[in-house]
Amino acid sequence: MIDPFGRSISYLRVSVTDRCDFRCVYCMAEDMTFLPKADLLSLEELDRLCSAFVRMGVRKLRLTGGEPLVRRGIMTLIDGLGRHLKTGALDELTLTTNGSQLEKYADGLAAAGVKRINVSLDTLDSDKFTELTRWGKLDKVMAGLKAAKAAGLQVKINAVALRGVNDMEFDDLIAWCGDEGFDLVFIEVMPMGEIGEEARIDQYLPLSMARSQIQRKWTLEETDYKTGGPARYYTVAETGRRLGFITPLTHNFCESCNRVRLTCTGTLYMCLGQNDAADLRAPLRASESDALLEDAIRGAIARKPKGHDFIIDRRHAPAAVPRHMSVTGG
Ligand code: SAM
Ligand code: SF4
């Protein structure tokens, strides 16, 4: 699948549910309205959709959400998709999780062929963690991380950089990831979904500033390490672990975008920061053959836009796109 700008689309991210057992302040409002369960694709339909993408050239699948591990029966889908790893049609099956259910699922994930996972964790302070996630418990996530390590999963920690909230903890997070053997990626907060926009401007911390702060204590060595994602990576000389920065706002990475995103209702977003989308549920349900579905996928890729237009400032107060990150999964 090649888009109009010559980019090869080899990475599909799938939000398997919009629900979550946390309510992170930058991601969701406290009183979220979720999709009616009847609107969701079944696990079989998700498998069929993902498998169509794999057949058409996707080499990497990431399950996300909402919280992917709160979707009932999720291991059926993950085990099923694992077959594409065995045939060699897929290079990688992975997920992004808040870690709350990892203690239960880590072994199963490893058995299904998952090698690496991303775990979101913005602070090591348990009170602050509960404040930030509103409903989360740090102990549970730590137990999940321990289980992931024991199961042999490689872990990358995702931390959203929040001014005045966790910026004083960057050094601790780097040191802790070094001790645990985790890579770490800092993410700039993105303007997605209504959460109260004054809050967003206050949260926004340009990572160029964060990096200068970090370099006062740590030696960041340039690397050309790439994961097929948008992060720019360094090696922290003192710990030997990688440190990445995802900077959608201060640095636009759209030129090398290789991905599209599918929601749990079968809507395909060709760009995280644009509203154009293609409905794949109708062609999926219209016929048992995948011909209509494949046509719809090709039509969607042919409309992939050049890039996003995220801006956070007071003149552009409303969210750039109205949907929350939990819909398209980040
Ligand atoms: N629940 C899972 C988790 O938290 O890892 C997967 C879904 S979550 C939407 C995926 C990632 O998006 C998380 O790392 C989260 O921190 C990040 N995220 C959520 N809202 C964001 C925002 N407004 N700006 C930047 N990152 C955001
Ligand atoms: Fe849930 Fe992940 Fe959003 Fe937090 S960032 S509310 S864990 S979906």
Side-chain angles (χ1 to χ4, degrees):
M1 290 184 285
I2 309 283
D3 82 356
F5 303 95
R7 296 170 298 193
S8 166
I9 307 306
S10 56
Y11 182 4
L12 176 68
R13 300 174 70 114
V14 187
S15 175
V16 297
T17 174
D18 63 329
R19 289 168 196 252
C20 187
D21 53 346
F22 291 3
R23 291 288 180 279
C24 301
V25 292
Y26 48 77
C27 179
M28 292 195 184
E30 190 152 21
D31 54 341
M32 290 288 286
T33 311
F34 293 110
L35 293 163
K37 289 221 167 104
D39 286 359
L40 297 195
L41 295 180
S42 67
L43 295 170
E44 294 74 24
E45 287 174 323
L46 280 169
D47 185 305
R48 205 178 131 199
L49 257 173
C50 291
S51 300
F53 274 98
V54 171
R55 216 167 37 242
M56 293 172 75
V58 159
R59 306 288 313 175
K60 175 168 173 181
L61 266 179
R62 176 178 298 277
L63 305 187
T64 171
E67 173 48 41
L69 296 179
V70 302
R71 170 100 195 228
R72 189 170 306 158
I74 187 66
M75 282 315 298
T76 314
L77 178 67
I78 296 175
D79 283 335
L81 293 173
R83 72 185 181 280
H84 298 305
L85 294 168
K86 292 201 187 96
T87 64
L90 194 62
D91 295 330
E92 185 169 25
L93 174 61
T94 181
L95 78 164
T96 302
T97 171
N98 65 23
S100 67
Q101 313 293 315
L102 256 185
E103 199 176 7
K104 183 159 128 205
Y105 288 119
D107 286 338
L109 291 171
V114 174
K115 299 256 182 296
R116 306 188 302 159
I117 55 171
N118 288 5
V119 179
S120 303
L121 180 65
D122 308 321
T123 174
L124 297 170
D125 174 315
S126 64
D127 292 336
K128 205 188 281 180
F129 183 82
T130 298
E131 240 171 78
L132 264 178
T133 59
R134 294 199 183 100
W135 296 3
K137 295 268 178 288
L138 185 62
D139 291 358
K140 282 292 290 175
V141 176
M142 289 298 175
L145 285 168
K146 195 166 164 204
K149 257 170 90 166
L153 297 171
Q154 272 174 263
V155 174
K156 184 157 78 192
I157 300 291
N158 281 347
V160 176
L162 299 163
R163 185 165 52 181
V165 178
N166 65 356
D167 47 351
M168 66 299 280
E169 273 193 77
F170 291 168
D171 290 338
D172 293 347
L173 279 164
I174 293 169
W176 174 76
C177 284
D179 291 344
E180 296 290 331
F182 302 153
D183 288 343
L184 172 63
V185 172
F186 287 115
I187 308 175
E188 269 173 2
V189 74
M190 289 175 241
M192 309 237 356
E194 285 300 324
I195 55 159
E197 294 309 319
E198 278 308 310
R200 180 108 56 205
I201 296 163
D202 292 342
Q203 288 167 358
Y204 174 52
L205 170 75
L207 282 182
S208 44
M209 276 169 66
R211 192 165 53 221
S212 319
Q213 179 191 321
I214 288 165
Q215 280 172 316
R216 274 185 237 136
K217 179 160 165 106
W218 306 92
T219 316
L220 302 189
E221 293 168 349
E222 304 264 344
T223 70
D224 49 14
Y225 175 74
K226 288 236 177 325
T227 57
R232 170 99 179 71
Y233 281 96
Y234 297 83
T235 302
V236 182
E238 290 82 356
T239 67
R241 302 306 315 180
R242 290 192 189 98
L243 177 64
F245 296 89
I246 299 187
T247 56
L249 293 151
T250 51
H251 170 77
N252 199 313
F253 45 57
C254 303
E255 323 72 70
S256 58
C257 182
N258 59 353
R259 65 197 52 202
V260 288
R261 297 174 157 86
L262 184 70
T263 73
C264 55
T265 56
T267 303
L268 188 73
Y269 284 95
M270 285 72 84
C271 172
L272 180 63
Q274 301 285 356
N275 289 319
D276 186 31
D279 173 36
L280 300 183
R281 184 172 58 180
L284 178 82
R285 290 186 175 167
S287 124
E288 280 186 14
S289 122
D290 284 342
L292 288 175
L293 176 63
E294 290 183 10
D295 280 350
I297 293 173
R298 271 190 286 273
I301 300 298
R303 301 207 307 268
K304 186 168 158 67
K306 194 160 180 218
H308 68 67
D309 311 303
F310 287 141
I311 306 176
I312 295 185
D313 67 20
R314 293 191 190 269
R315 279 183 304 124
H316 299 82
V321 287
R323 56 187 190 278
H324 288 91
M325 190 68 102
S326 49
V327 174
T328 30

